[in-house]
Amino acid sequence: MWWLVGLSFLLSVSIIPLIILLCNKMGWYDTQDERKIHKGNIPRLGGVGIIIAFVVSTLIYYFLPSSADSKNHILAIVIAGSIIFIFALADDFFSFKAIFKLIFQVIAVLIVILNGYRFKQIFIWELPLWASYILTFFWMIGIINAYNLIDGLDGLCGGLSFLVISSIGIIYYVSAIDIAKFTSGICFMMAAAILGFLVYNKPKAKIFMGDGGSQVMGFMISALPLYNSSSNFEYNKLLVMIVLVSIPMLDTIAAMWRRTREHRSFMSPDSRHIHHKLIALGFSKVQTLVFLLSIQVFICLAAGLGMYLREEKGAILLSLVFVFMVAFYSSIHFIYYTVTNKNPVDIKSIQEDDSSLTLSLKKDKAKSDK
């Protein structure tokens, strides 16, 4: 398996420069809006390189004799993930309406759920089938879009995804169940492909992953935990995953509340995601990235410790970590609105001056005060 993980990284780090050249030749650049902090023409199809590297290594893994008993378990995930990727890639070119994005996400999620991949218990309580379906449906739709929305800063979505998928892989790897060990290989190959992409996506990014990358990251993070694993992981699975994805999840919940309050579409971009707020408070782009990834490393280590403590003790620790994350995000939110007096970040000033640590704020705050 490990040589395939290395292959996935080498393919990704080799293919992406070719994609950069192709995008520059064809003029396939990322659009700028209030969610994204960049200037200039940046290629947007990094997700293609990630997926090619992952698919090639996974196909080899799939046909290895040692995978014979496990390989059929990934078919539903592959089909659903392909739907997410193809439509999200098309959206990078044609910018479909939000409702069409949601329709294809729903189709992909239903394929996964109806093939038996779902949350089956919370702690000791086995979920009724209807509750299991509903919980898993909203979990997957929410996480797909959370990672799409957090993709607004060089290296952020890729870095968070790499750490979370690697953590899921480690959890599966230490399991005694054969299918879990097979799934760990899938996780590590995806993590390696993301790492190859991050070589070119670190500040200043030479390429972005685009919707074709960020939506697939969210899909994989939401779907991979649905495989069966050890009883310890099954006991705390939902709580472990909520903790692992707490940065984009809390940011998305805040964005939904903000847009509901301001009578705007959930899918409309704005400049008040957590990375925008940190930059407004004086962090540079690199400092913001390092800070958020450091928090994610802490979360992953805490999740690992929670798994080690097992069941009830692990649940207590994981609950405390989640409370800490809620308090952390609320503190950033409170400080931001106190310091900026509810004025949103001026994205143009960020795009025009990459070295600035303190950004000018918009004077017109009528929209924010509604």
Side-chain angles (χ1 to χ4, degrees):
M1 176 186 75
W2 295 111
W3 69 272
L4 288 172
V5 174
L7 176 64
S8 182
F9 171 78
L10 291 175
L11 285 173
S12 178
V13 84
S14 301
I15 291 170
I16 288 177
L18 302 178
I19 295 174
I20 293 173
L21 290 175
L22 178 63
C23 289
N24 287 331
K25 181 177 180 180
M26 302 299 296
W28 293 338
Y29 299 122
D30 192 66
T31 56
Q32 293 183 358
D33 60 34
E34 291 188 77
R35 179 167 57 90
K36 299 171 184 176
I37 304 173
H38 73 275
K39 65 177 181 178
N41 295 324
I42 310 296
R44 63 180 178 220
L45 301 181
V48 175
I50 296 173
I51 299 306
I52 291 175
F54 172 68
V55 167
V56 170
S57 57
T58 302
L59 281 174
I60 298 173
Y61 189 45
Y62 181 87
F63 287 108
L64 289 177
S66 60
S67 303
D69 296 332
S70 304
K71 62 185 182 182
N72 291 332
H73 294 276
I74 69 170
L75 290 179
I77 304 297
V78 169
I79 293 170
S82 298
I83 291 172
I84 293 287
F85 173 67
I86 291 170
F87 189 79
L89 181 62
D91 184 53
D92 280 325
F93 288 96
F94 302 110
S95 297
F96 297 113
K97 292 183 178 179
I99 186 62
F100 292 112
K101 298 179 185 180
L102 182 60
I103 289 171
F104 279 89
Q105 290 173 2
V106 168
I107 292 171
V109 167
L110 289 177
I111 289 173
V112 173
I113 294 174
L114 296 177
N115 276 275
Y117 299 97
R118 54 190 173 84
F119 289 112
K120 298 176 182 177
Q121 68 181 77
I122 299 178
F123 306 131
I124 61 173
W125 299 290
E126 185 173 345
L127 292 170
L129 191 62
W130 63 269
S132 177
Y133 283 157
I134 292 173
L135 173 63
T136 307
F137 177 84
F138 283 105
W139 157 261
M140 294 191 70
I141 292 293
I143 298 306
I144 290 169
N145 287 290
Y147 278 84
N148 185 224
L149 289 174
I150 203 71
D151 187 25
L153 177 69
D154 296 352
L156 183 56
C157 182
L160 294 174
S161 300
F162 170 77
L163 291 169
V164 172
I165 292 176
S166 296
S167 298
I168 298 171
I170 292 170
I171 290 171
Y172 278 131
Y173 187 74
V174 299
S175 173
I177 299 177
D178 288 340
I179 181 60
K181 290 188 179 296
F182 177 81
T183 308
S184 72
I186 300 295
C187 294
F188 292 139
M189 281 178 256
M190 174 58 83
I194 297 170
L195 187 61
F197 163 76
L198 287 172
V199 171
Y200 306 97
N201 185 239
K202 65 181 184 295
K204 292 183 176 180
K206 297 178 181 178
I207 189 169
F208 297 145
M209 63 170 60
D211 278 7
S214 60
Q215 288 193 39
V216 171
M217 296 302 101
F219 172 79
M220 294 296 289
I221 289 168
S222 68
L224 285 170
L226 303 179
Y227 286 106
N228 290 328
S229 184
S230 64
S231 59
N232 184 39
F233 187 33
E234 293 299 321
Y235 184 95
N236 281 321
K237 179 181 283 186
L238 181 60
L239 186 54
V240 167
M241 291 312 305
I242 287 174
V243 168
L244 283 175
V245 304
S246 54
I247 291 177
M249 183 185 71
L250 292 173
D251 192 60
T252 299
I253 291 172
M256 292 175 64
W257 166 248
R258 185 167 62 246
R259 292 165 191 178
T260 300
R261 184 186 64 210
E262 297 173 0
H263 307 291
R264 294 190 292 119
S265 167
F266 285 162
M267 302 305 291
S268 61
D270 65 28
S271 58
R272 281 171 286 173
H273 291 281
I274 189 167
H275 45 283
H276 298 124
K277 292 175 181 177
L278 289 170
I279 290 173
L281 293 174
F283 286 73
S284 69
K285 295 181 188 179
V286 174
Q287 289 169 340
T288 299
L289 176 64
V290 171
F291 180 66
L292 290 175
L293 292 185
S294 297
I295 294 292
Q296 184 66 58
V297 169
F298 160 76
I299 291 170
C300 293
L301 292 173
L305 180 58
M307 292 293 297
Y308 175 78
L309 292 175
R310 306 185 67 82
E311 300 185 348
E312 293 90 350
K313 292 181 180 179
I316 293 171
L317 175 64
L318 292 166
S319 298
L320 290 174
V321 173
F322 184 69
V323 170
F324 165 80
M325 287 304 301
V326 173
F328 161 76
Y329 192 89
S330 300
S331 298
I332 298 296
H333 175 83
F334 176 78
I335 295 169
Y336 167 80
Y337 278 100
T338 300
V339 171
T340 65
N341 195 27
K342 297 185 179 182
N343 289 315
V345 178
D346 184 352
I347 291 298
K348 289 184 179 179
S349 68
I350 308 175
Q351 294 168 350
E352 291 169 0
D353 185 4
D354 290 332
S355 63
S356 176
L357 300 183
T358 305
L359 305 172
S360 61
L361 301 170
K362 289 181 179 178
K363 300 300 182 182
D364 183 8
K365 58 178 181 176
K367 184 183 290 186
S368 300
D369 291 337
K370 284 183 179 180

